[in-house]
Amino acid sequence: MAGEVRWLDEEEARAWRSFVDVSTALTAELEHDLLTRHGLALGDYAVLVHLSEAPERRLRMCDLAAQLHLSPSGLTRRLNGLVRDGLVVREPCSSDRRVTYAVLTEEGFRRLADAAPDHVAEVRRRFIDRLDRRQLHELAGALDAVRTPAAAAPRGTAGSAP
Amino acid sequence: MAGEVRWLDEEEARAWRSFVDVSTALTAELEHDLLTRHGLALGDYAVLVHLSEAPERRLRMCDLAAQLHLSPSGLTRRLNGLVRDGLVVREPCSSDRRVTYAVLTEEGFRRLADAAPDHVAEVRRRFIDRLDRRQLHELAGALDAVRTPAAAAPRGTAGSAP
DNA sequence: GAAGATTGAATGGTCAATCTTA
DNA sequence: TAAGATTGACCATTCAATCTTC
């Protein structure tokens, strides 16, 4: 098969390792902050955010799972905790009885509104505010390029240059 | 509480959400690839990489845990699986008997050498090769800026003077 | 006392299987 | 048959506690 391996050169390796490093460290730090100051895991927070932005603050379980990059069972269990704490309720769908809606409660919305300023401040302090405008713009553009395979790369000429 | 919240503007939010999105999606995809094609979890792979780059392919448990952003107990359990599979061995330290070394075995090295080309190819395909040189350079710079608080931000007295 | 490593209890995630409904 | 949600079995990770050694 592939006889030669295109290893990462110095800059590529630096970018990749930094990316992994920053994302893991940042996740751990933000999780810790949110958990100790507001009793919310990062996953809980993400659920509340997505629900709060949805029409009527409700989403089908399967749609919510997709938005959160979570498996169906993962979301079920994640929701159990939020339901137990009264931040979210489950509601059956009348038109399709296979479906369950996750609905943000008033208390859930308050908890989110309470936590959000602190969380945003942390995101600023640990990420956004360490970048100037140009860096931020470039970063956003690069990440978009990663998410969107863009136009097909010129396949014939890619592999040869050292 | 803080009277005003500096919410994220459109571009800031876009950069932050893309960052979270890309890192979670990428992690899941790379993990899946590595697991199905080489029977290695991403965490296993990271252990092997760090050991392979260390002098004599060995590291103290506590140092390895720090490099991997893993708790001591997390590393202990992670290592158990690798030891069971014969990819790593534990060795006591003669000069400080509190210390245990994690040492990469020949088989561990082979498994890593076997998996690395595929993994690097996936990292290229899903990340590196979707960026041009300029984007890559900017990304690496931005991530370094995030990792290193650099000089104090020019934004008023944001830090510690309330 | 502090550092290094491990263990126990608890939590959060996945996959495979199941149950209901479309 | 397939889609949606849940459950059971299992694995990974963390914190707190413990044990040994410095």
Side-chain angles (χ1 to χ4, degrees), chain A residues 11-59:
Chain A
E11 191 165 57
E12 290 169 338
R14 187 166 70 97
W16 173 240
R17 297 216 174 187
S18 290
F19 184 80
V20 173
D21 221 62
V22 166
S23 63
T24 59
L26 217 48
T27 302
E29 291 162 0
L30 292 173
E31 168 106 23
H32 183 264
D33 285 340
L34 209 47
L35 208 49
T36 57
R37 289 159 70 174
H38 296 278
L40 288 174
L42 213 45
D44 294 330
Y45 185 85
V47 169
L48 301 184
V49 167
H50 280 264
L51 287 179
S52 76
E53 292 174 348
E56 303 184 68
R57 295 179 187 167
R58 69 173 53 218
L59 282 171

Side-chain angles (χ1 to χ4, degrees), chain A residues 5-9 11-27 30 38 49-50 53 67-69 113-114 116-121 123-124 126-131 133-150 153 155, chain B residues 1 5-9 11-27 30 45 49-50 53 67-69 113 116-117 119-121 123-124 126-131 133-150 153 155 158:
Chain A
V5 182
R6 286 174 57 220
W7 299 106
L8 304 186
D9 66 34
E11 191 165 57
E12 290 169 338
R14 187 166 70 97
W16 173 240
R17 297 216 174 187
S18 290
F19 184 80
V20 173
D21 221 62
V22 166
S23 63
T24 59
L26 217 48
T27 302
L30 292 173
H38 296 278
V49 167
H50 280 264
E53 292 174 348
Q67 290 185 19
L68 297 170
H69 301 292
D114 199 46
D118 276 353
H119 181 65
V120 170
V123 171
R124 278 206 173 281
R126 300 184 186 276
F127 189 75
I128 298 290
D129 286 352
R130 297 183 180 186
L131 304 170
R133 259 304 147 178
R134 189 186 57 77
Q135 286 176 315
L136 193 76
H137 185 76
E138 292 291 340
L139 181 68
L143 292 172
D144 273 347
V146 170
R147 285 201 300 182
T148 316
R155 207 59 216 139
Chain B
M1 283 297 209
V5 182
R6 287 175 56 218
W7 299 106
L8 303 186
D9 66 34
E11 191 166 56
E12 290 168 339
R14 186 166 71 98
W16 173 240
R17 295 216 175 189
S18 290
F19 185 80
V20 173
D21 222 61
V22 167
S23 63
T24 59
L26 218 47
T27 302
L30 293 173
Y45 185 85
V49 167
H50 281 262
E53 293 174 348
Q67 289 185 21
L68 297 170
H69 301 292
H119 181 65
V120 170
V123 170
R124 278 207 172 281
R126 315 190 108 109
F127 189 76
I128 297 290
D129 286 352
R130 296 184 181 184
L131 304 170
R133 259 304 146 177
R134 190 186 56 78
Q135 287 176 314
L136 194 75
H137 185 75
E138 293 290 341
L139 180 69
L143 292 172
D144 272 347
V146 170
R147 285 200 300 181
T148 316
R155 186 81 187 107

Side-chain angles (χ1 to χ4, degrees), chain B residues 3-66:
Chain B
E4 316 124 43
V5 182
R6 287 175 56 218
W7 299 106
L8 303 186
D9 66 34
E10 198 172 329
E11 191 166 56
E12 290 168 339
R14 186 166 71 98
W16 173 240
R17 295 216 175 189
S18 290
F19 185 80
V20 173
D21 222 61
V22 167
S23 63
T24 59
L26 218 47
T27 302
E29 291 162 359
L30 293 173
E31 169 107 22
H32 183 264
D33 286 339
L34 208 48
L35 209 50
T36 56
R37 290 159 69 175
H38 296 278
L40 288 174
L42 213 44
D44 294 331
Y45 185 85
V47 169
L48 301 185
V49 167
H50 281 262
L51 287 180
S52 76
E53 293 174 348
E56 302 183 68
R57 294 180 188 165
R58 68 174 53 217
L59 282 171
R60 293 158 26 128
M61 291 291 284
C62 57
D63 295 333
L64 181 54

Side-chain angles (χ1 to χ4, degrees), chain A residues 46-68 75 79 88-93 99-105:
Chain A
V47 169
L48 301 184
V49 167
H50 280 264
L51 287 179
S52 76
E53 292 174 348
E56 303 184 68
R57 295 179 187 167
R58 69 173 53 218
L59 282 171
R60 294 155 29 124
M61 290 291 284
C62 58
D63 295 334
L64 181 53
Q67 290 185 19
L68 297 170
L75 178 58
L79 221 67
V88 176
V89 291
R90 287 184 166 93
E91 280 187 15
C93 172
V99 169
T100 301
Y101 281 99
V103 187
L104 191 61
T105 65

